Amino acid sequence: MKRLCAMVLAVALVTAGTLAAQTTSGVLNTLEVQRLVAAGAPAAHVALSSHYMALAETFAAQAARFDALARVPSGAPNHPVTMGVNARHVSQAQAAMALSERAREMAAYHQFLSIGAPAAPPVDRATFDGGFAARTPTASELRAATAAARTAADHHVLEEYYMTENARSAADAKAHAAMANNFRVSGQRRGSELAAMHCDRLAKQAREAAKEAGAAAALHRQLADIG
């Protein structure tokens, strides 16, 4: 559980600041990762190994950045807020470095598999091979993957992707609806209704996204059965 929490923290930090860099760094998108995992061929394992090495380097760079921030001297060393910020940066650096080590384990694991050598699966294999920390596919990448889908395995990969998006959007809708309700019952009249209306709009958009993703998942499930 602690390891998973560290993963969630670090990946949020990394994707917030380095998403553009990942596009050209060798980090695959979630669809590509899932497709390669499903293929299980030597060439697929080579590609996955490269993907995880790129992830490891991304996390290591993020760890170095947070470590540098933690070492920046402040003008008020005894100030509790300053100390809290430094401690947070230290924690963020440690979490990102732990992720870098996990990704390197995954890279080595798939490298062994690519040559047919026996390899014990890392503890976090299912999480990483499920697409953890991979890029979100762009609209053009999704269109290309849909157009190229020919086999049942191809459609199952797309089905899984859209099922994940459906669950994520549904959770977002629930969270925004709860925030809207909190604003309305907070008793703070000034601006609270406008904030609630804004959350209502976000909840509606998320519900629509969940509905579209659910429909897309159902379609690819049917196509997989046909194929």
Side-chain angles (χ1 to χ4, degrees):
M1 180 61 70
K2 290 182 178 179
R3 178 180 296 157
L4 183 58
C5 290
M7 284 185 176
V8 173
L9 167 65
V11 75
L13 297 170
V14 171
T15 54
T18 59
L19 184 58
Q22 286 184 356
T23 303
T24 56
S25 68
V27 175
L28 302 175
N29 68 47
T30 53
L31 282 175
E32 292 168 330
V33 171
Q34 292 167 3
R35 177 177 57 79
L36 290 169
V37 170
H45 289 302
V46 171
L48 286 166
S49 181
S50 297
H51 163 71
Y52 289 123
M53 280 304 299
L55 268 186
E57 292 170 3
T58 300
F59 286 130
Q62 193 72 5
R65 187 174 78 84
F66 282 121
D67 184 64
L69 288 172
R71 295 173 185 274
V72 172
S74 64
N78 295 322
H79 196 287
V81 175
T82 301
M83 293 174 64
V85 170
N86 286 343
R88 186 176 77 247
H89 287 153
V90 169
S91 177
Q92 290 167 335
Q94 292 173 341
M97 185 52 68
L99 275 175
S100 179
E101 293 171 0
R102 303 292 178 227
R104 290 182 190 281
E105 291 174 1
M106 289 297 300
Y109 170 67
H110 282 286
Q111 190 63 44
F112 279 121
L113 294 182
S114 72
I115 60 175
V123 174
D124 303 310
R125 181 196 62 79
T127 300
F128 275 99
D129 277 353
F132 174 78
R135 290 190 298 108
T136 299
T138 64
S140 61
E141 287 174 334
L142 276 173
R143 288 194 295 269
T146 300
R150 295 289 184 273
T151 67
D154 293 336
H155 288 294
H156 279 309
V157 167
L158 287 162
E159 176 195 357
E160 181 178 349
Y161 170 79
Y162 283 114
M163 286 177 63
T164 301
E165 287 298 294
N166 170 264
R168 182 185 63 79
S169 295
D172 286 347
K174 184 177 180 179
H176 289 308
M179 289 178 65
N181 184 63
N182 288 340
F183 278 121
R184 289 195 168 94
V185 301
S186 65
Q188 299 177 4
R189 294 179 179 276
R190 186 176 180 180
S192 61
E193 184 56 32
L194 288 176
M197 292 172 63
H198 175 67
C199 290
D200 284 336
R201 284 194 295 271
L202 293 177
K204 180 181 179 182
Q205 292 172 0
R207 283 193 293 269
E208 291 173 349
K211 183 178 179 180
E212 292 176 2
L219 172 62
H220 285 289
R221 189 180 307 119
Q222 292 174 355
L223 292 173
D225 291 340
I226 294 172

